Amino acid sequence: MTQDLFDDEAASGPLPLAPGAVVLRRFARPYDGALLDAVREVIAQAPLRHMVTPGGLRMSVAMANCGDLGWVSDRTGYRYDRLDPESGKPWPRLPDVFRRLAAEAASRAGFEGFVPDACLVNRYEPGTRLSMHQDRDERDFSQPIVSVSLGLSAVFLFGGPKRSDMARRVPLDHGDVVVWGGPARLHYHGVLPLKEGAHPFWDGCRINLTFRKAG
Ligand code: MD3
Ligand code: FE
């Protein structure tokens, strides 16, 4: 029985978490050295910062962006912007390893030709959480989102199309990549408070990269 499941996966590719949500366990591990260098380069030019929600609350996740467009939040709302509001300059360019990893993961999940124009870098320290939300600031919801988890593990909450839908708890570990497309694209999701821990990738933190075609 177990062997049949493995054979199935070998034959048909990765199994979906839900329709449209494909988990690629450890897919990013072979790239993690290059990813570390690239993240450091990006945040040297666009430092991680705690943005403010339209309601005036400081987000506990620290964020930065690279690519043509970056996701920003302030008292006026959420939007994608070509410029980093902290520096007034364009966001750093998307590192080649980011572009390659995102396209390979999307292709593995059945989205050929994914060309992201935005990458949001999220840093979680112990205690940091992300409350349940939908990602709906992008122009075309038929485009997937590719997420890459690095460093400390987190418990991801994967809900449904309504805020009140029950959420599943999905552990995401170093190197796990998830492609969110199709019917899962507008599902509510969040992250439980990060637990204290140690991981060689990044001292005491979780880093999450989300690749989008925003414009
Ligand atoms: C499911 N980030 O940046 S990545 C976000 O771990 C965000 O930093 C989380 O939610 C993090 O908006 C989760 C996984 C993820 C990203 C986008 C999704 C899951 C998603 C869009 C639709 C459904
Ligand atoms: Fe999100």
Side-chain angles (χ1 to χ4, degrees):
M1 175 55 185
T2 306
Q3 196 51 50
D4 291 348
L5 287 174
F6 283 124
D7 289 347
D8 250 23
E9 184 162 352
S12 62
L15 296 167
L17 180 67
V22 177
V23 184
L24 304 170
R25 294 275 176 213
R26 305 184 171 209
F27 188 82
R29 284 199 186 190
Y31 305 84
D32 69 355
L35 290 170
L36 179 59
D37 291 343
V39 171
R40 286 194 172 130
E41 205 175 290
V42 166
I43 67 176
Q45 300 166 70
L48 289 162
R49 81 290 306 264
H50 295 275
M51 297 187 195
V52 174
T53 66
L57 299 172
R58 170 191 188 265
M59 298 183 72
S60 68
V61 182
M63 297 174 166
N65 291 278
C66 56
D68 290 338
L69 293 168
W71 187 84
V72 294
S73 178
D74 61 20
R75 289 306 299 243
T76 72
Y78 307 125
R79 65 187 177 279
Y80 282 94
D81 208 310
R82 298 197 167 271
L83 305 179
D84 177 350
E86 293 294 313
S87 65
K89 294 188 305 187
W91 297 102
R93 61 173 274 116
L94 205 67
D96 288 338
V97 62
F98 281 19
R99 198 190 314 278
R100 206 168 342 114
L101 172 60
E104 277 177 24
S107 154
R108 195 67 72 91
F111 294 92
E112 293 303 333
F114 179 58
V115 181
D117 59 12
C119 172
L120 176 62
V121 180
N122 290 332
R123 186 197 62 201
Y124 296 73
E125 295 178 303
T128 299
R129 64 190 291 269
L130 187 64
S131 56
M132 295 296 280
H133 66 278
Q134 291 174 296
D135 289 20
R136 39 183 331 144
D137 301 319
E138 301 77 23
R139 219 177 265 284
D140 178 1
F141 300 142
S142 73
Q143 292 281 332
I145 293 178
V146 175
S147 78
V148 179
S149 292
L150 297 165
L152 289 181
S153 299
V155 178
F156 178 74
L157 296 171
F158 181 54
K162 297 196 303 281
R163 187 181 289 279
S164 59
D165 290 332
M166 286 286 286
R168 285 168 65 184
R169 292 170 178 233
V170 183
L172 290 179
D173 306 322
H174 178 69
D176 288 350
V177 177
V178 191
V179 181
W180 312 89
R185 176 64 181 75
L186 288 171
H187 282 208
Y188 278 85
H189 57 277
V191 180
L192 288 182
L194 192 78
K195 286 198 199 150
E196 218 50 82
H199 194 284
F201 180 81
W202 199 286
D203 198 27
C205 292
R206 169 177 187 255
I207 301 287
N208 179 266
L209 310 175
T210 52
F211 296 97
R212 302 139 193 272
K213 171 84 181 69

